[in-house]
Amino acid sequence: MPLPVVILPGYLEGATAYIALEKSLQELGFPTVTVPLRKRDWLPTVGGRSMVPILRRLDRTVKQSLKQNNASQVNLIGHSAGGWISRIYIGEKPYTIHGDAIESDRLWSAHPHVASLVSLGTPHISLERWTKRNLDFVNSNYPGAFYPYVRYVCIAGKSVFGARKKGSWLAFNSYQITCGNGETWGDGITPIEAAHLEGAENITIEGIRHSPKSPGMWYGSPEILPLWTKCLV
């Protein structure tokens, strides 16, 4: 039987946006649940603050999934910021940089219970000052595909080229503050080079956009799933 799947939503997104993806994975045979977040649950994290509130929800959901499925591991899917937040959760270094958690909280060190981490359009690097502190913690402690026994799969979308013109400004600005180059390809929010990790199974998919609310196809569209669900352990 396939391992259970836990989906961690992207920044400022609620679980309802992932209902279709959750159902599609269930139809493929994966027992799937989304971390039950609402948009307002992200408010304490705004402005580069601590991700501890999200880690608490993630940890609770993973433990419930393990118990309900009588499993020892899960496949973790992180969309957008959910991907790098998942790297904090997997890692063993105490995430105490904001002073709102102590080592005994144990909202991390989950690597023995995670068989694979699939990141969808995750900005694994950022030059933006609000996110840089958190991402510096991640990348300084867990560079690349850090744990050799965790399967890291990083999916990037190639649908929008950033440019200083109408229709491409949002992509240009988002790419610029993420990797320092606005004139590059990405999913409209995350540039390809930021969505990949050294040592991971890096996949780029043509024509997909960043968000489940984007027009057209996104990472979780049914016709796209076969391109990356084959990587789930």
Side-chain angles (χ1 to χ4, degrees):
M1 181 176 177
L3 292 178
V5 171
V6 174
I7 302 170
L8 180 59
Y11 193 60
L12 296 179
E13 194 57 87
T16 56
Y18 302 85
I19 290 174
L21 172 58
E22 186 177 313
K23 289 182 177 179
S24 293
L25 290 170
Q26 289 170 349
E27 289 171 359
L28 292 173
F30 296 99
T32 305
V33 65
T34 303
V35 179
L37 293 170
R38 298 160 297 181
K39 289 186 178 181
R40 65 173 181 248
D41 293 327
W42 291 94
L43 293 180
T45 74
V46 170
R49 287 180 283 179
S50 172
M51 291 295 162
V52 162
I54 308 303
L55 290 171
R56 290 190 192 280
R57 297 293 188 93
L58 173 59
D59 183 55
R60 188 179 306 132
T61 305
V62 167
K63 287 177 178 175
Q64 289 173 345
S65 181
L66 290 172
K67 183 177 180 180
Q68 290 171 0
N69 293 283
N70 193 27
S72 60
Q73 291 185 307
V74 301
N75 290 309
L76 195 51
I77 297 174
H79 172 234
S80 196
W84 61 257
I85 296 170
S86 295
R87 291 169 64 200
I88 296 176
Y89 179 61
I90 291 172
E92 61 197 56
K93 300 290 184 180
Y95 176 65
T96 56
I97 60 173
H98 295 279
D100 62 340
I102 57 177
E103 292 191 27
S104 60
D105 284 338
R106 303 298 291 175
L107 299 174
W108 41 79
S109 294
H111 52 91
H113 304 297
V114 177
S116 66
L117 169 61
V118 179
S119 64
L120 307 176
T122 293
H124 288 293
I125 59 172
S126 179
L127 302 177
E128 202 271 327
R129 61 175 180 150
W130 298 119
T131 56
K132 194 172 184 299
R133 185 180 183 189
N134 282 318
L135 271 170
D136 283 353
F137 172 84
V138 175
N139 290 317
S140 62
N141 287 298
Y142 317 113
F146 187 76
Y147 291 100
Y149 40 83
V150 175
R151 187 175 187 178
Y152 292 79
V153 182
C154 300
I155 315 297
K158 184 180 181 182
S159 58
V160 183
F161 187 83
R164 300 175 188 265
K165 64 180 183 180
K166 185 178 180 180
S168 301
W169 267 108
L170 174 61
F172 177 88
N173 289 328
S174 184
Y175 300 165
Q176 182 77 27
I177 64 174
T178 300
C179 69
N181 178 21
E183 296 181 325
T184 188
W185 281 99
D187 62 12
I189 298 295
T190 303
I192 293 172
E193 60 191 271
H196 288 166
L197 276 176
E198 184 177 354
E201 297 175 53
N202 293 313
I203 300 171
T204 300
I205 302 176
E206 298 272 351
I208 58 173
R209 304 293 291 266
H210 183 77
S211 168
K213 298 177 181 178
S214 300
M217 295 185 298
W218 82 290
Y219 297 94
S221 295
E223 57 269 51
I224 299 301
L225 290 184
L227 300 179
W228 60 264
T229 53
K230 60 186 178 183
C231 299
L232 294 174
V233 176

